[in-house]
């Protein structure tokens, strides 16, 4: 059956979301229809609104969520109606080169970077006012019901609190994994984290779990410092307090350099600063923030020639379908906490207020 429900539709760029009645088609073969219970707001959603991440309109955004399976299409074996699940914006098809390689996690079936906004079969499951509405990176969670491909959903512990573990669908896993999986932070090392939003704070948590002895948090918003320290940061600095480049400040603070650095903002200038502050021969710098569209980086290649590694990390390097249930299990065993990452809980019809809070750094 087609389900009629409410969704936050973005009709065009730089406009607020509009709460509309949409029609959600039933799942086709190897697809799953999910009742969304909780959804986080992520900067990547905002990137679409302002045009920094190019997607087709009209679109239903949202990609960090948790819900309950409502129905499944033919051939679906990994979940059944009633299961608690997390949709995966990085799917895991199990067949492409990245899925088959132990080092890879960016499945070729992802819609990231293609901007197609459609299901794998090239069509959409959403209609509003007679118009087809595009999907967002295979998830589209700012709606009461969504349809995802079976490769883009993970079944989780039925006792998990969905309003907390929804963060494992993006922000937490992305930051935590960037430290543990991508950088492989070592005990006793020194780390610098640029950007202290939810993902940056999750990087701090990952560095702490990995045993880093010094974690330097960098942000221009000092309101973020108390929480960063609560989660494991040993030092917090704002570039606004210095009249020299921040990478020079970090080099002085650490008597030479950091071992690992993380850019968790999505700005080209901070990406280069993060690269420059890590150890010239064996330092590792990881780009976690989504790079802005149409911007290029110019940098001195000597920064890499001396031996530094510059890496990118999507979804924390986790193989999504395998890792998400395990991360939820770790949360249930209290191996990490999510509460400090949740600042506000709003009814979802107040989604525009939620984005205002995001933009003002609150």
């Amino acid at each position: 059956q087609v389900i009629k429900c409410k969704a936050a539709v973005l009709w065009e760029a730089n406009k607020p979301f509009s709460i509309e009645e949409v029609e959600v088609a039933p799942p086709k073969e190897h697809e799953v229809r999910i009742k969304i219970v909780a959804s986080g707001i992520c900067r990547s959603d905002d990137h679409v609104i302002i045009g920094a991440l190019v997607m087709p309109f009209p679109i239903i955004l949202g990609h960090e969520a948790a819900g309950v399976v409502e129905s499944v299409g033919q051939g679906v074996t990994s979940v059944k109606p009633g299961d608690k699940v997390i949709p995966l914006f990085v799917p895991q098809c199990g067949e492409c080169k990245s899925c088959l390689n132990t080092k890879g996690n960016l499945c070729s079936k992802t819609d990231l970077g293609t901007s197609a906004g459609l299901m794998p079969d090239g069509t959409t499951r959403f209609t509003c006012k007679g118009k087809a509405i595009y999907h967002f990176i295979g998830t589209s969670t700012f709606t009461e019901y969504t349809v995802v491909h079976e490769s883009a959903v993970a079944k989780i512990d039925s006792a998990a609190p969905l309003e907390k573990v929804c963060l494992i669908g993006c922000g937490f896993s992305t930051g935590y994994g960037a430290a543990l999986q991508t950088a492989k932070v070592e005990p006793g090392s020194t780390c610098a984290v640029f950007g202290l939003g939810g993902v940056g704070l999750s990087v701090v948590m990952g560095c702490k779990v990995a045993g880093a002895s010094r974690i330097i948090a960098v942000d221009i918003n000092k309101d973020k410092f108390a929480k960063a320290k609560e989660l494991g940061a040993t030092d917090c600095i704002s570039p606004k307090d210095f009249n020299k480049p921040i990478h020079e400040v970090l080099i002085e603070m650490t008597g030479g350099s950091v071992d690992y650095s993380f850019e968790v903002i999505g700005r080209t200038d901070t990406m280069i600063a993060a690269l420059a502050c890590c150890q010239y021969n064996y330092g590792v710098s990881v780009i976690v923030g989504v790079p802005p569209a149409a911007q290029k980086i110019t940098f001195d290649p000597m920064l890499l020639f001396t031996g530094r590694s510059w890496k990118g990390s999507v979804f924390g390097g986790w193989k999504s379908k395998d890792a998400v249930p395990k991360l939820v299990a770790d949360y249930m065993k209290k191996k990490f906490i999510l509460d400090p990452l949740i600042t506000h809980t709003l009814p979802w019809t107040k989604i525009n207020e939620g984005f205002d809070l995001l933009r003002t750094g609150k």
Side-chain angles (χ1 to χ4, degrees), residues 65-335:
V68 178
V69 174
E70 176 272 333
S71 60
V72 298
Q74 270 186 310
V76 171
T77 54
S78 59
V79 295
K80 63 184 186 303
D83 284 347
K84 282 191 179 179
V85 292
I86 288 179
L88 310 168
F89 73 91
V90 173
Q92 188 182 341
C93 72
E95 295 163 3
C96 69
K97 272 192 167 178
S98 289
C99 282
L100 291 171
N101 191 300
T102 54
K103 293 182 279 195
N105 81 313
L106 190 53
C107 175
S108 68
K109 298 279 193 294
T110 180
D111 193 25
L112 262 178
T114 65
S115 324
L118 298 166
M119 293 297 286
D121 73 348
T123 61
T124 168
R125 301 290 164 272
F126 299 119
T127 320
C128 180
K129 298 176 181 170
K131 276 192 174 153
I133 308 293
Y134 287 100
H135 293 250
F136 179 51
I137 51 181
T139 47
S140 290
T141 64
F142 294 162
T143 167
E144 291 174 322
Y145 288 87
T146 191
V147 177
V148 304
H149 191 267
E150 186 181 13
S151 63
V153 62
K155 179 183 172 179
I156 59 165
D157 183 341
S158 61
L162 299 183
E163 74 286 357
K164 307 261 198 275
V165 298
C166 61
L167 299 183
I168 292 172
C170 176
F172 172 75
S173 306
T174 295
Y176 192 67
L180 294 175
Q181 290 275 113
T182 308
K184 295 188 168 51
V185 170
E186 292 171 318
S189 59
T190 302
C191 302
V193 181
F194 290 70
L196 298 174
V199 185
L201 291 170
S202 301
V203 174
V204 170
M205 289 158 79
C207 292
K208 185 182 178 184
V209 165
S213 60
R214 197 166 178 198
I215 303 167
I216 306 168
V218 184
D219 202 304
I220 55 174
N221 180 355
K222 292 185 176 178
D223 294 344
K224 307 273 190 186
F225 289 178
K227 196 164 272 187
K229 289 206 159 145
E230 178 194 331
L231 292 173
T234 53
D235 310 72
C236 293
I237 59 173
S238 166
K240 289 188 166 172
D241 290 347
F242 304 93
N243 43 21
K244 63 168 84 166
I246 194 67
H247 73 273
E248 292 180 13
V249 175
L250 285 159
I251 287 168
E252 276 178 24
M253 279 177 73
T254 53
S257 54
V258 302
D259 300 302
Y260 301 95
S261 65
F262 301 86
E263 200 280 355
V264 205
I265 305 163
R267 291 176 57 103
T268 52
D269 54 342
T270 40
M271 288 172 187
I272 294 174
L275 180 67
C277 77
C278 75
Q279 211 276 346
Y280 72 92
N281 180 210
Y282 54 78
V284 176
S285 186
V286 183
I287 293 176
V288 189
V290 176
Q295 282 196 25
K296 301 281 182 266
I297 287 188
T298 306
F299 69 100
D300 179 353
M302 189 56 81
L303 284 169
L304 292 179
F305 174 73
T306 54
R308 283 183 184 88
S309 301
W310 208 359
K311 306 182 86 163
S313 181
V314 177
F315 195 60
W318 304 107
K319 284 189 185 286
S320 58
K321 223 169 151 81
D322 294 343
V324 163
K326 290 179 187 156
L327 287 165
V328 171
D330 284 350
Y331 170 75
M332 299 300 280
K333 290 177 199 147
K334 299 191 165 48
K335 287 194 180 175

Side-chain angles (χ1 to χ4, degrees), residues 6-56:
K6 294 273 192 282
V9 177
L10 194 66
W11 291 100
E12 53 185 306
N14 297 304
K15 288 278 163 62
F17 290 92
S18 167
I19 305 289
E20 306 276 8
E21 183 178 81
V22 298
E23 285 152 17
V24 185
K28 293 189 184 177
E29 198 175 359
H30 293 298
E31 292 178 358
V32 180
R33 189 159 60 180
I34 303 168
K35 179 180 177 36
I36 297 291
V37 174
S39 188
I41 286 177
C42 177
R43 181 69 73 178
S44 308
D45 300 306
D46 193 47
H47 282 337
V48 179
I49 301 170
I50 63 172
L53 188 58
V54 180
M55 290 282 161

